[in-house]
Amino acid sequence: MIKENQRLLNQLHILSDGIIVFLSMLIAYWIRFYVFNGAISVGLRTTVYYAILSGLLSVFIFAILGIYESFRIARIYKEIGLIFSGMLLVTLVLLAVLFVLHMDNTSRWQLAVFFGVSILLLSAKRLILRNILYKLRKTGFNQKHILIVGSGEMAQLYLDKINLHKTYGFTPIGYIADYDVLDGADYLGKYDILESVLEEYLPDEVVVAIPGEDYERMPEIISICEKSGTKTSLIPYYALYMPSNPQIDNLSGIPLINLRRIPLDNLGNAFLKRIVDLAGSLFLIVLFSPLMLITLIGVKISSPGPAIFKQERVGLNKKTFKMYKFRSMKVNSEENTAWSTDVDDRR
């Protein structure tokens, strides 16, 4: 049933998106030439052609970007981000078409307004639709029926989450495992009845969350689910040690899950950070230079010795560097070996 509902929802999405983008072009025409009293460079009839082209382009690009897939558990900002990307592509394609056809009289401001209005209306539609679906799911409609395979810690955690967040619209049919140990769902039997359970209950999705000691059963479970054509999702028994958005590399067909991804391994990220470090440091040094000058004088007056304290620290790739700071202790022989304490006579 959920598949039919999702198909109907996608069809409504496609139709309504096309209409909204079509109307956005007309609204942009009205705002540009009537609200701001601009000199009309193209007629309404030409704008209608633009609007039709924009509507068709938008649903095509949205489909490529995956906007018509299920966003049941995804955050709204992810969906709006895809809408932004999609409409940016639509606008760029329109500009390219106008350039190729030498239609230089078309208002670029009209296209800019169209870009903003379309994103605003498309995002508002999805926000409204989400709220409607949340309320429907709370009352038991638009449910996705889930069969859980396994009785490990992650299976219980998954059950707790879907039972707590009713707005997700997940209803557990039950679970199969060697032992009846989970709370929040009916126990249907052992692993060997999986095939018959799939035929009887026809779940929308199978969530496999078996413990580590049962992992040898995984090939058979996946094979049975594939044979029945049921969507299957896996929750690894080590999922608690994984980040929320793991990076997956591929080694000749072998997926490698990076448990700790280092953003600065990316050259672009490292370059941007270096720019921010240098520019930010220079700005703050100039901004606080009067305060640092006062501090420098205060340190010199308060005790004999240099005002700046130099210390060796370990940085990126375990390379050592010299760190400079205002001296807050008396000059002493322990500065390189001993940490400061709550009660320290070196202060």
Side-chain angles (χ1 to χ4, degrees):
M1 183 65 180
I2 193 69
K3 294 177 182 177
E4 285 75 14
N5 290 340
Q6 186 64 46
R7 191 177 298 113
L8 176 61
L9 185 61
N10 285 343
Q11 290 171 350
L12 292 174
H13 260 321
I14 292 171
L15 179 62
S16 58
D17 283 351
I19 293 173
I20 286 174
V21 173
F22 175 85
L23 293 175
S24 295
M25 182 62 79
L26 300 183
I27 293 172
Y29 177 85
W30 173 70
I31 291 175
R32 175 67 183 93
F33 298 119
Y34 290 92
V35 174
F36 292 105
N37 296 319
I40 298 177
S41 55
V42 294
L44 180 59
R45 184 174 181 177
T46 303
T47 300
V48 170
Y49 292 146
Y50 292 165
I52 294 173
L53 176 61
S54 302
L56 295 174
L57 265 176
S58 64
V59 296
F60 176 72
I61 291 175
F62 284 2
I64 293 175
L65 293 177
I67 294 179
Y68 298 123
E69 296 175 4
S70 176
F71 283 83
R72 183 179 290 254
I73 60 175
R75 300 282 186 180
I76 184 63
Y77 67 79
K78 181 179 180 181
E79 197 170 2
I80 292 177
L82 287 174
I83 290 172
F84 180 91
S85 300
M87 289 313 304
L88 180 61
L89 284 173
V90 170
T91 307
L92 291 175
V93 170
L94 283 176
L95 285 170
V97 169
L98 295 176
F99 176 78
V100 170
L101 298 179
H102 302 289
M103 301 180 72
D104 300 328
N105 59 333
T106 302
S107 171
R108 301 306 188 260
W109 279 110
Q110 180 184 346
L111 292 180
V113 174
F114 159 74
F115 175 68
V117 170
S118 60
I119 291 175
L120 181 64
L121 294 181
L122 289 168
S123 300
K125 185 201 83 169
R126 277 164 172 77
L127 282 169
I128 293 170
L129 184 60
R130 275 185 176 240
N131 288 328
I132 293 173
L133 289 175
Y134 282 169
K135 291 177 181 178
L136 287 174
R137 289 165 188 160
K138 277 186 175 181
T139 57
F141 292 95
N142 192 237
Q143 296 296 302
K144 194 171 187 178
H145 298 90
I146 307 294
L147 173 66
I148 299 172
V149 178
S151 58
E153 181 182 8
M154 297 311 304
Q156 184 63 67
L157 184 60
Y158 176 79
L159 265 174
D160 293 341
K161 293 289 185 182
I162 64 174
N163 287 329
L164 177 63
H165 300 284
K166 297 296 184 183
T167 54
Y168 288 160
F170 293 125
T171 298
I173 295 171
Y175 72 98
I176 62 173
D178 280 340
Y179 305 101
D180 181 7
V181 293
L182 298 183
D183 296 322
D186 296 331
Y187 178 62
L188 303 177
K190 296 181 179 295
Y191 289 114
D192 54 8
I193 68 166
L194 174 58
E195 192 166 2
S196 60
V197 169
L198 291 176
E199 292 176 357
E200 179 181 353
Y201 289 93
L202 300 175
D204 297 305
E205 183 176 354
V206 173
V207 174
V208 182
I210 60 179
E213 58 268 22
D214 292 340
Y215 241 60
E216 71 275 2
R217 298 179 181 270
M218 185 67 78
E220 182 184 2
I221 291 171
I222 294 177
S223 177
I224 293 173
C225 293
E226 287 291 315
K227 181 180 176 182
S228 68
T230 307
K231 179 184 176 183
T232 307
S233 299
L234 305 177
I235 304 178
Y237 66 89
Y238 50 84
L240 287 175
Y241 307 103
M242 295 173 59
S244 56
N245 293 300
Q247 183 184 21
I248 299 178
D249 295 327
N250 189 293
L251 176 64
S252 298
I254 301 175
L256 301 174
I257 301 174
N258 293 330
L259 295 183
R260 185 175 184 271
R261 177 174 174 267
I262 303 174
L264 292 182
D265 284 345
N266 181 284
L267 290 177
N269 290 340
F271 176 76
L272 287 176
K273 182 184 183 301
R274 186 61 176 163
I275 294 297
V276 171
D277 286 347
L278 293 173
S281 299
L282 180 61
F283 172 75
L284 291 174
I285 286 173
V286 173
L287 179 65
F288 288 103
S289 56
L291 181 60
M292 288 192 288
L293 179 61
I294 294 172
T295 305
L296 181 72
I297 296 171
V299 173
K300 291 294 291 183
I301 293 174
S302 64
S303 66
I308 302 297
F309 175 68
K310 180 173 67 174
Q311 193 175 43
E312 191 173 81
R313 291 291 179 92
V314 180
L316 182 65
N317 298 324
K318 298 184 179 180
K319 292 181 179 179
T320 58
F321 67 96
K322 298 294 184 181
M323 182 187 73
Y324 299 89
K325 59 183 180 180
F326 291 111
R327 180 171 57 84
S328 59
M329 292 184 177
K330 299 174 183 177
V331 177
N332 62 88
S333 60
E334 297 180 285
E335 62 186 26
N336 293 320
T337 57
W339 293 95
S340 60
T341 60
D342 289 339
V343 180
D344 199 315
D345 58 4
R346 295 174 297 167
R347 291 181 178 177

